[in-house]
């Protein structure tokens, strides 16, 4: 099993039709500065900088953040780290949408007032002149799509943002298709990067969403590629969970991931991992790298050890038969029609 940073050299791959290239594994920073319900700081500033150093040492150049991560600390700490580096060598993606001020409904969503103000705040925290990719973190049904696309186009034209992205919890290809049709009819910038949840056990985007992205050559950068840790081999069927574990703490995680059906997928994952002398996490990430239509998954990690293990996924070769076995372990939404 490859575990040494020196053996990893991440490749660049196209970011859809944007014309720029992304590292084949992007680095996600949502736990930077995050405090758990018990008040524990998950990733401190020092650890965040160690993680960014590790990613950069492996050749990683694409960093994913959002304005709400760590209440802004994720962006701030990335900005501090970038200050000692060549900004131009890194691609930084951020997002906006979630309400940031209690009692102020206009501080939520993608209305023009909120978007313009929030972009300025992102630039300040990252201490940069431009954001490479700006995502809407979720779809805001209260803002007319035409207003949204016109506002976003203005921000691209101002030079503050290079490319636009749409991040989703549920597949919503038709909303993005409609928004892009409006943008293109007006000569405005469309969404070219998509960020859906996708992993071996969350397969909702297979079907229309992936087909739409493929047809329009939109980049697809999946979040939670390890099912928030489920696909790493650290959970077992019918196990008594320690009180402090994420699964014990969060019933949503337990109910959506720790199911018999998902453990069947996990069994296949462990079998393939053994065959290729890799860890389950590495094989779960390598599966993304072997999937048609996926640009680059966003790798999450709480420790440098986890990140080093995960980045080594780029060194793993799976045979077409192994990829097929993993894919078949849980049918996608259209496989049973
Ligand atoms: N657009 C959106 O709405 C959205 C939503 C979620 C995430 N994201 C982005 O996607 C990124 C990744 O998401 P995610 O954190 O959910 O990804 P993930 O890769 O599915 O899960 C990462 C978590 O799994 C555990 N883990 C990772 N590697 C491990 C290893 N080798 N061994 C054991 N445990 C390991 C760690 O948590 P523990 O050690 O605590 O188990 C880690 O924080 C985020 O940072 C963010 O940038 C976007």
């Amino acid at each position: 099993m490859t575990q040494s940073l020196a053996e990893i050299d991440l490749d660049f791959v196209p970011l859809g039709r944007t014309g720029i290239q992304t590292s084949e594994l992007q680095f996600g920073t949502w736990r930077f500065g995050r405090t758990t319900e018990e008040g524990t700081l998950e990733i401190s500033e020092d650890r965040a900088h160690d993680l960014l150093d590790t990613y950069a040492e492996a050749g990683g150049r694409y960093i994913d953040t959002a304005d709400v991560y760590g209440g802004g600390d994720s962006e701030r700490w990335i900005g501090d780290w970038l200050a000692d580096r060549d900004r131009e060598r890194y691609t930084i993606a951020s997002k906006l949408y979630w309400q940031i001020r209690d009692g102020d409904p206009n501080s939520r969503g993608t209305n023009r007032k909120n978007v313009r103000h929030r972009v300025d705040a992102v630039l300040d925290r990252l201490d940069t002149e431009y954001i490479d990719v700006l995502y809407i973190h979720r779809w805001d049904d209260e803002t007319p799509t035409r207003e949204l696309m016109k506002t976003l186009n203005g921000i691209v034209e101002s030079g503050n943002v290079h490319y636009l992205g749409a991040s989703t919890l549920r597949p919503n290809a038709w909303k993005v298709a409609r928004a892009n049709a409006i943008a293109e009819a007006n000569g405005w910038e469309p969404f070219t990067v998509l960020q859906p949840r996708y992993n071996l056990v969350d397969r909702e985007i297979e079907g229309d969403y992936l087909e739409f992205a493929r047809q329009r050559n939109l980049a697809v950068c999946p979040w939670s590629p390890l099912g928030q840790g489920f696909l790493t081999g650290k959970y077992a069927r019918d196990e008594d969970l320690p009180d402090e574990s994420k699964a014990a703490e969060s019933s949503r995680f337990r109910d959506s991931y720790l199911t018999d059906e998902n453990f069947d997928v996990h069994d296949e994952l462990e079998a393939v991992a053994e065959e290729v002398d890799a860890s389950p996490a590495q094989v779960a990430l390598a599966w993304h790298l072997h999937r048609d239509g996926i640009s680059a998954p966003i790798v999450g990690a709480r420790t440098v050890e986890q990140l080093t293990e995960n980045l080594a996924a780029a060194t793993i070769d799976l045979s077409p038969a192994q990829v097929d076995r993993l894919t078949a372990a849980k049918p996608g939404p259209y496989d049973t029609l």
Side-chain angles (χ1 to χ4, degrees):
M1 187 193 308
T2 312
Q3 292 292 5
S4 149
L5 258 192
E7 292 170 70
I8 309 168
D9 186 12
L10 296 181
D11 279 337
F12 283 102
V13 295
L15 187 69
R17 68 185 200 220
T18 59
I20 61 167
Q21 309 251 321
T22 167
S23 300
E24 58 188 323
L25 294 172
Q26 302 180 355
F27 180 44
T29 63
W30 86 278
R31 294 173 87 171
F32 284 14
R34 176 172 184 266
T35 307
T36 63
E37 279 167 22
E38 285 74 39
T40 310
L41 176 63
E42 291 201 298
I43 297 182
S44 67
E45 183 167 6
D46 283 350
R47 170 94 63 85
H49 286 172
D50 288 347
L51 287 162
L52 289 165
D53 285 344
T54 303
Y55 179 62
E57 220 178 305
R61 296 289 179 266
Y62 193 113
I63 300 165
D64 183 83
T65 183
D67 65 354
V68 289
Y69 293 171
D73 279 345
S74 173
E75 289 176 336
R76 248 177 242 114
W77 297 350
I78 293 167
D80 292 345
W81 181 84
L82 270 179
D84 298 330
R85 286 171 178 75
D86 180 357
R87 162 72 181 93
E88 202 48 43
R89 290 180 70 93
Y90 292 89
T91 302
I92 311 293
S94 194
K95 323 181 189 78
L96 49 82
Y97 167 85
W98 299 107
Q99 183 154 339
I100 48 171
R101 286 187 297 276
D102 286 346
D104 179 0
N106 291 329
S107 72
R108 170 195 167 278
T110 57
N111 63 76
R112 187 174 300 139
K113 178 176 167 65
N114 192 37
V115 168
R116 286 197 176 147
H117 166 73
R118 301 260 296 251
V119 166
D120 288 344
V122 172
L123 291 167
D124 273 357
R125 280 189 296 269
L126 285 169
D127 194 17
T128 182
E129 286 173 9
Y130 64 91
I131 305 160
D132 295 276
V133 179
L134 178 72
Y135 288 98
I136 53 164
H137 212 150
R138 289 289 182 273
W139 203 269
D140 173 8
D141 287 315
E142 286 164 32
T143 297
T145 304
R146 192 174 191 285
E147 173 180 325
L148 168 66
M149 299 316 287
K150 191 173 182 189
T151 304
L152 292 175
N153 183 65
I155 291 168
V156 172
E157 290 201 328
S158 74
N160 286 340
V161 165
H162 288 167
Y163 303 100
L164 300 177
S167 146
T168 46
L169 182 61
R170 299 266 167 252
N172 58 5
W174 75 268
K175 291 185 182 179
V176 182
R178 181 167 170 271
N180 280 1
I182 292 172
E184 280 156 6
N186 285 283
W188 299 335
E189 180 72 15
F191 292 116
T192 47
V193 187
L194 303 180
Q195 185 173 137
R197 181 175 61 183
Y198 187 53
N199 58 55
L200 273 167
V201 295
D202 285 314
R203 305 274 293 281
E204 272 182 309
I205 64 164
E206 291 179 5
D208 281 354
Y209 185 95
L210 271 189
E211 185 53 28
F212 162 64
R214 211 177 277 127
Q215 296 237 350
R216 307 302 308 207
N217 195 11
L218 306 182
V220 177
C221 307
W223 53 271
S224 287
L226 296 176
Q228 292 177 30
F230 171 71
L231 295 164
T232 63
K234 66 183 174 191
Y235 297 100
R237 238 185 259 259
D238 303 324
E239 176 191 25
D240 276 340
L241 297 161
D243 286 348
E244 71 280 5
S245 83
K246 175 164 58 192
E249 177 196 315
S250 156
S251 57
R252 209 167 52 170
F253 174 82
R254 200 174 45 228
D255 296 346
S256 55
Y257 283 111
L258 306 189
T259 64
D260 267 342
E261 191 188 18
N262 287 350
F263 275 113
D264 290 345
V265 178
H266 204 280
D267 290 346
E268 195 64 55
L269 178 64
E270 288 196 315
V272 173
E274 203 166 317
E275 287 162 21
V276 298
D277 188 23
S279 69
Q282 290 170 334
V283 172
L285 291 169
W287 176 77
H288 280 85
L289 302 183
H290 287 73
R291 288 293 275 166
D292 185 31
I294 300 300
S295 310
I298 311 172
V299 171
R302 204 171 32 80
T303 65
V304 167
E305 292 70 30
Q306 288 178 351
L307 183 60
T308 307
E309 176 185 338
N310 297 351
L311 295 174
T315 65
I316 289 167
D317 256 338
L318 299 177
S319 70
Q322 286 167 328
V323 175
D324 287 350
R325 270 165 55 203
L326 292 166
T327 309
K330 184 168 183 177
Y334 288 73
D335 291 348
T336 48
L337 293 181

